[in-house]
Amino acid sequence: MAVRDVLFWLSTCFLLLNSATSLQCWRNTTCSGPTDTAFPGPWEANIFAPASRTVSPASILSKSGEFISKFPGISQLSGNGSELVFDFGIEVGGLVTLRYSTTGQGSIGLAFAESKNWIGEWSDSSNGGFKGPDGAIYSAFNNSGTYSYTMPDLRLRGGFRYLTLFLITNGTTTVDIKDIKLEISFQPTWSNLKAYQGYFHCSDELLNRIWYSGAYTLQTNAVPVNTGRQVPFVAKGWANNGTLGPGDSIMVDGAKRDRAVWPGDMGIAVPSTFVSIGDLGSVKNALQVMYNYQNPTTGAFPEAGPPLLQLGSDTYHMWTMIGTYNYILYSNDTVFLQENWGKYLLAMKFIYGKVGSSGLLNVTGLRDWARWQTGFNGSEPNMILYRTLLTGADLSIWAGDLSNLSVTWQTRAESLKTAINQYCWDPSYGAFKDNATATTLHPQDANSMSILFDVVDTSAKAENISSNLLKNWTPIGAVTPELPGNISPFISSFEIQAHFAIGQTARALDLIRRSWGWYINNPLGSESTVIEGYLENGTFGYRSSRGYAFDASYVSMSHGWGSGPTSALTEFIVGLSVTSPAGGSWKLAPQFGDLRSAEAGFMTSLGKFQASWNLRHDGYSLSYNVPRGTTGEIVLHCQSVGKFPRITIDGRPVSREANPQLEGPVILLNGVGGSHTIVVR
């Protein structure tokens, strides 16, 4: 064999071996995820996910957090209490393997933190017991020599950025760290962690980073089903060996904690998952476990999935139902719908049975997202019930119901809408009250949902609410009155969509930049994900007095319920959304704000959906490419309100088949599948 052939054979083997090492799924998990991105392009540079499931730190820091060198570099621990901090540069999670040599006996401690605030010999908090700290785990050695240590599966650390290594010894032992490797556990069925099935790109780099931070957060929240947080909670340390549900991968609330299915969180996380990473399999498994643990007598869903299985939440019960709608809308998984339809009907009977003589829901399952006041005729749960009824009406059609449930539930929704506006509206303030009493609390959640879910009965009310929500704003986000002093990216995710929904584009973009922009640029955060919440003073002590025992390190730095900008930028700025299962019908309604261009795309079982727009000196161009055979509604902004602009489609004047209709500031067109370009002058 010629030398050239031998070299070619060896290089090929090396490439194959390297590829097999970098492109792999978690442990023994079947690789069922995508293998490549659906929309290749320069925007892929914004993906935070690493190219390999096995990663090493990016840099070495001192115990006080000061930069020492890039990794690998000189990493020596000398004497008792010596320590170094290894920064991975982004949120990561999984199992660490150390290789080190030592001159004597002792042990190396490993401690983990999502924020630079908590680096040191104690890990940040995650175990949920509030009885003792997470502390550290240890690799012990009795003699000089070279050692390898891999964390036990039980101690898998779901979310961290910083790894602190410290030495415990009675003598003058010195340890040289030879290598550090992390086997990433999240997105377990994907061999290529960068294989996003959706994308977004616009003329504002901050918005691009925010979109991808939401997407990456959702990846870190898709976890192996046997790595949930242990319940009952451990007294100290941590344990992530709980069984979460069926399948190989499942959507949980946070990377570090709680590592459980929370349907309320999914109200934001599922739409953002669909337009970004496209991992609907984890969504399906999360929903299925809620159906599996439904009370067969009452129809009530648990508030959270196993092993936590917390009960007693009317709102999270309804979020499971809305989550079912979202999953079917995106997937057209009629098998899942049919298998669970009987349980869905029981769930609807359970929740609507709590509607009283006033026409309002009387809340008895009091648990909710963390707001202080719950119960009675709360306006927020009534907004959610309205959305539940309308989405249920669509589901009944998709399920093939023949008993006219769609009409029944739509009628009930209209009656509920009337009651909400009658009993919960505060005309003296111009927003909805927290409940149907004389309260002066005007919550962020209910008012944002009232616009987004179209519960308001006049456009004037919607504009008043949008304006009044601004009163909660600070330079770093919107304080939520129902949880005073706290900023909730979860509830603010509804608010930005509310502003978008009524064309208040500038307000929505402003809030995204204030809140999510503040966190993505905060050097004390993960700089790669979205946070669970924070305080208006800019510290991470979210919910300190509301269940978190004043332990700021307990807050999750990678929480999917805060990923609202990811779906909102796709569905409102680019304006592309699906309106029937898998996108058989769709809507394209771009908003420009202060941007010059934007584009996005996502996948369904029908194929690729993609759209882009660019401002021109004389108007704008809008291009879209969607599967043939689909139909849509296109909403075009006029150059002058009430004046019909010049419109061409694929270089020709707009046709009668497009049925253009002038409605105030916009033109409505009928859209068809395929690839098309519209120019508006």
Side-chain angles (χ1 to χ4, degrees), residues 166-235:
F166 57 95
L167 178 60
I168 298 176
T169 179
N170 291 326
T172 58
T173 297
T174 295
V175 171
D176 287 303
I177 306 299
K178 300 295 186 182
D179 196 17
I180 301 174
K181 288 286 192 297
L182 170 72
E183 183 184 6
I184 290 177
S185 58
F186 56 75
Q187 204 78 79
T189 63
W190 285 30
S191 60
N192 179 1
L193 296 175
K194 291 181 175 288
Y196 282 23
Q197 299 303 287
Y199 84 104
F200 172 83
H201 194 70
C202 75
S203 55
D204 184 330
E205 281 305 313
L206 176 60
L207 295 179
N208 294 335
R209 291 171 58 220
I210 290 169
W211 192 95
Y212 280 94
S213 72
Y216 185 54
T217 299
L218 295 163
Q219 282 194 283
T220 70
N221 294 176
V223 306
V225 296
N226 61 346
T227 63
R229 185 172 64 180
Q230 186 182 110
V231 180
F233 303 132
V234 295

Side-chain angles (χ1 to χ4, degrees), residues 77-83 102-109 121 138-144 166-175:
L77 303 174
S78 183
N80 188 54
S82 57
E83 64 184 75
T102 174
T103 62
Q105 67 177 27
S107 61
I108 297 176
E121 297 181 4
Y138 299 90
S139 171
F141 46 90
N142 294 322
N143 302 293
S144 61
F166 57 95
L167 178 60
I168 298 176
T169 179
N170 291 326
T172 58
T173 297
T174 295
V175 171

Side-chain angles (χ1 to χ4, degrees), residues 280 284 287-288 291 324-342 344 394-401 580-583 605-606:
L280 295 181
K284 175 183 179 179
L287 288 169
Q288 187 59 61
Y291 280 100
T324 302
Y325 166 84
N326 285 333
Y327 173 66
I328 301 302
L329 175 67
Y330 302 142
S331 70
N332 195 25
D333 187 347
T334 54
V335 173
F336 174 89
L337 181 58
Q338 292 297 333
E339 288 178 347
N340 293 290
W341 185 239
Y344 182 94
D394 283 342
L395 278 174
S396 71
I397 296 172
W398 302 341
D401 170 73
S580 69
S605 57
L606 296 180

